[in-house]
Amino acid sequence: MHNTEFLIRQKRLLEKMQPNSICLVQASNLVTRSRDTEYPFRQDSYFQYLCAFPEPEAWLVLSNHQDYSKELCVLFCLDKDPAMEIWHGRRFGPKQAKQQYPVDRAYALDELDEQLLDLIDGHQHVYFAQGHDHDADDLVFSLLQALRDAPKQSKHAPSSLIDVRIILDEMRLIKSAREIDLMRKAAAVATQAHIRAMQFVEAGKNEYHLEAEIHHEFAMQGAKYPAYSTIVGAGDNACILHYTENNQGLKSGDLVLIDAGCEWQGYASDITRTFPVSGAFSNEQKQLYELVLNAQLAAFNVIKPDNTIKQASDVVIAVITQGLIDLGILKGKLTDNIERQTYRQFYMHGLSHWLGLDVHDVGNYKIDGQDRPLKTGMVLTVEPGIYIAPDADVDSKWCGIGIRIEDNLLITQSGHENLTLAAPKTISDIEALMSKKSG
Ligand code: GLY
Ligand code: MN
Ligand code: MN
């Protein structure tokens, strides 16, 4: 993404902060996986959003202090170090970082404590995501204390510490045209991966084979990492919402539920498809599948500006509950069942969440206690499901069927655009695709 986009974001943040404020944002740090090895590095989403500098341990400092002739953005990053770089990889170092990233100044990390003390001095407010990282908290609190302890005429300590996430979360909730392009790409790559899994599935293979096919497609298209742990649940495993063992055999007659999305330049997709291992749905699977799909399509009708997620969620609850009554899985009247929430035995999660740099992206769902109306530029998932546990107290023909269908929707002026529309999901489209594979 071009640096202009980041400069616009920095400027908007500085405008939304109180006058005479400084903002401190810390990059992610490496996390040990086992002795001497780390989990793959993933940049902190706020840091990514503001400058996209791709290294660990860095700090970004933004000020709108009246004394700066223009607003100021400073990066602290690891210094160049040939010996360390031979072992651990290339570093930009401050000089090159300043040339390539949207910052006014860059310093080596060794200078952080001293420079930060001077930078914070004289500001009225500090914006910072306190509580996220103990070491970062310790550093910021100790600098504030040092300013308070300094002789009164030499230093001026800020009087308030404000959570910067309150501003950044609202900014991140509405996606720009460039962010939407990246999310379209993340959606397109994940769509191809789901198609690949549908074409590859076969009784006798294992859930991890499907996981590997999904990750293969991500990587071959340049999306190196999944946005979250891929879920491949066959048979009963589809009823475990966050199943990630992915190590059981695939049996003909079972459905397999795949919840998988990739990251494209930090932006997530989040798709779920459920399909039969054999390529053909059984009668019971068909009936429940149609119900979930109808519920999702009914929700789509109300996903548009000024409506709320709650409205869509209520529509889904009504469709699923009525459907479960019609199938004899729930008994009694619709209104009683909805009031008693009996559907929750079989549909126990929410319908939707924001999607963006984080798969469960930031942004409040309520404003002043009221459900927040949808606005152009928001991106959210719509993911109804029905999960009949293997030991559920219903006719055994339904037991062990788990189905979820999840798409990613962008709110547009006229309604919404389904970014993941190309991932097959009608029974006929899925069966047609799967029969091509075997034929
Ligand atoms: N993949 C996580 C979710 O669907 O929310
Ligand atoms: Mn989701
Ligand atoms: Mn998902």
Side-chain angles (χ1 to χ4, degrees):
M1 198 148 33
H2 196 269
N3 274 352
T4 314
E5 173 92 1
F6 297 102
L7 293 171
I8 291 169
R9 293 177 193 170
Q10 292 173 9
K11 194 164 162 41
R12 283 186 57 211
L13 169 62
L14 290 168
E15 284 165 3
K16 285 171 189 284
M17 286 164 29
Q18 301 283 332
N20 282 354
S21 292
I22 189 163
C23 167
L24 313 173
V25 184
Q26 191 199 24
S28 291
N29 289 324
L30 287 166
V31 179
T32 301
R33 182 177 183 275
S34 80
R35 280 173 64 88
D36 295 339
T37 67
E38 284 106 14
Y39 286 102
F41 177 70
R42 201 262 180 190
Q43 189 52 284
D44 173 79
S45 295
Y46 295 108
F47 199 90
Q48 175 72 20
Y49 185 72
L50 289 170
C51 82
F53 183 68
E55 293 182 11
E57 296 188 45
W59 281 77
L60 190 71
V61 180
L62 290 143
S63 164
N64 65 9
H65 194 291
Q66 62 201 9
D67 285 355
Y68 295 118
S69 57
K70 66 182 184 74
E71 287 137 347
L72 184 76
C73 177
V74 183
L75 177 75
F76 292 89
C77 62
L78 291 164
D79 208 354
K80 294 293 287 177
D81 181 334
M84 289 298 281
E85 289 179 59
I86 283 173
W87 282 96
H88 302 295
R90 297 182 185 91
R91 295 174 177 181
F92 280 92
K95 197 165 150 224
Q96 211 183 328
K98 182 178 158 346
Q99 283 164 6
Q100 291 193 31
Y101 287 88
V103 297
D104 300 315
R105 299 182 198 168
Y107 299 108
L109 213 49
D110 316 346
E111 297 186 48
L112 180 68
D113 293 19
E114 202 182 319
Q115 292 269 7
L116 214 44
L117 193 76
D118 281 345
L119 282 165
I120 297 173
D121 179 24
H123 285 87
Q124 203 64 42
H125 312 280
V126 175
Y127 285 76
F128 171 63
Q130 65 267 38
H132 176 65
D133 180 280
H134 285 305
D135 292 340
D137 285 355
D138 285 350
L139 173 65
V140 172
F141 295 160
S142 70
L143 290 171
L144 291 177
Q145 195 54 41
L147 288 170
R148 286 184 210 112
D149 290 344
K152 284 290 164 280
Q153 292 180 16
S154 67
K155 302 276 184 208
H156 174 89
S159 56
S160 71
L161 186 60
I162 303 172
D163 193 335
V164 68
R165 290 168 289 200
I166 290 166
I167 299 176
L168 289 176
D169 290 358
E170 285 300 300
M171 288 171 60
R172 283 176 51 187
L173 182 55
I174 306 295
K175 274 68 181 176
S176 70
R178 284 174 193 275
E179 287 180 294
I180 290 165
D181 284 347
L182 299 179
M183 295 196 71
R184 266 189 227 292
K185 180 69 183 177
V189 172
T191 294
Q192 285 307 312
H194 280 264
I195 291 172
R196 185 182 178 99
M198 286 178 196
Q199 291 174 320
F200 180 84
V201 68
E202 208 169 66
K205 290 195 166 136
N206 196 289
E207 292 166 344
Y208 52 63
H209 290 126
L210 291 184
E211 182 180 12
E213 288 298 323
I214 293 267
H215 292 183
H216 172 90
E217 189 68 27
F218 288 172
M220 293 308 278
Q221 297 214 32
K224 200 166 164 224
Y225 296 110
Y228 52 91
S229 298
T230 294
I231 296 169
V232 181
D236 294 352
N237 298 335
C239 298
I240 302 169
L241 299 180
H242 288 166
Y243 175 77
T244 50
E245 284 100 332
N246 301 356
N247 61 3
Q248 298 300 306
L250 305 174
K251 295 200 283 291
S252 182
D254 280 349
L255 291 179
V256 57
L257 180 156
I258 300 187
D259 185 342
C262 65
E263 242 176 38
W264 186 265
Q265 291 188 33
Y267 287 84
S269 48
D270 181 7
I271 303 178
T272 308
R273 290 293 183 263
T274 310
F275 50 93
V277 170
S278 66
F281 287 83
S282 73
N283 264 340
E284 286 73 28
Q285 290 165 352
K286 242 182 214 171
Q287 291 178 78
L288 287 175
Y289 190 93
E290 290 288 8
L291 180 50
V292 177
L293 185 56
N294 287 341
Q296 197 207 35
L297 297 177
F300 284 1
N301 287 334
V302 294
I303 304 270
K304 55 185 170 192
D306 299 327
N307 282 352
T308 63
I309 290 178
K310 169 82 165 55
Q311 278 172 278
S313 182
D314 287 347
V315 166
V316 163
I317 288 167
V319 172
I320 285 183
T321 307
Q322 184 60 57
L324 292 173
I325 293 168
D326 295 344
L327 294 174
I329 294 171
L330 288 175
K331 310 264 180 276
K333 290 209 321 233
L334 177 65
T335 44
D336 291 346
N337 276 284
I338 290 180
E339 203 175 296
R340 289 185 292 120
Q341 301 193 347
T342 53
Y343 58 85
R344 288 188 67 84
Q345 304 160 75
F346 309 114
Y347 169 45
M348 61 293 278
H349 56 73
L351 177 66
S352 174
H353 54 81
W354 310 129
L355 187 68
L357 282 168
D358 293 311
V359 63
H360 291 175
D361 207 28
V362 293
N364 289 330
Y365 291 87
K366 290 191 183 246
I367 299 177
D368 298 331
Q370 301 295 313
D371 289 295
R372 142 173 243 157
L374 296 170
K375 296 285 168 216
T376 308
M378 292 177 170
V379 180
L380 66 161
T381 66
V382 180
E383 47 181 306
I386 294 179
Y387 315 88
I388 317 272
D391 58 352
D393 187 17
V394 300
D395 188 330
S396 62
K397 68 181 180 178
W398 305 112
C399 289
I401 300 179
I403 296 162
R404 177 162 66 256
I405 307 173
E406 176 173 29
D407 284 289
N408 303 164
L409 270 55
L410 163 70
I411 305 298
T412 61
Q413 271 175 2
S414 58
H416 67 256
E417 177 190 331
N418 184 352
L419 304 178
T420 49
L421 185 68
K425 68 176 173 184
T426 63
I427 288 180
S428 55
D429 283 354
I430 290 174
E431 290 187 344
L433 175 72
M434 295 181 74
S435 71
K436 253 189 269 163
K437 159 209 82 163
S438 52

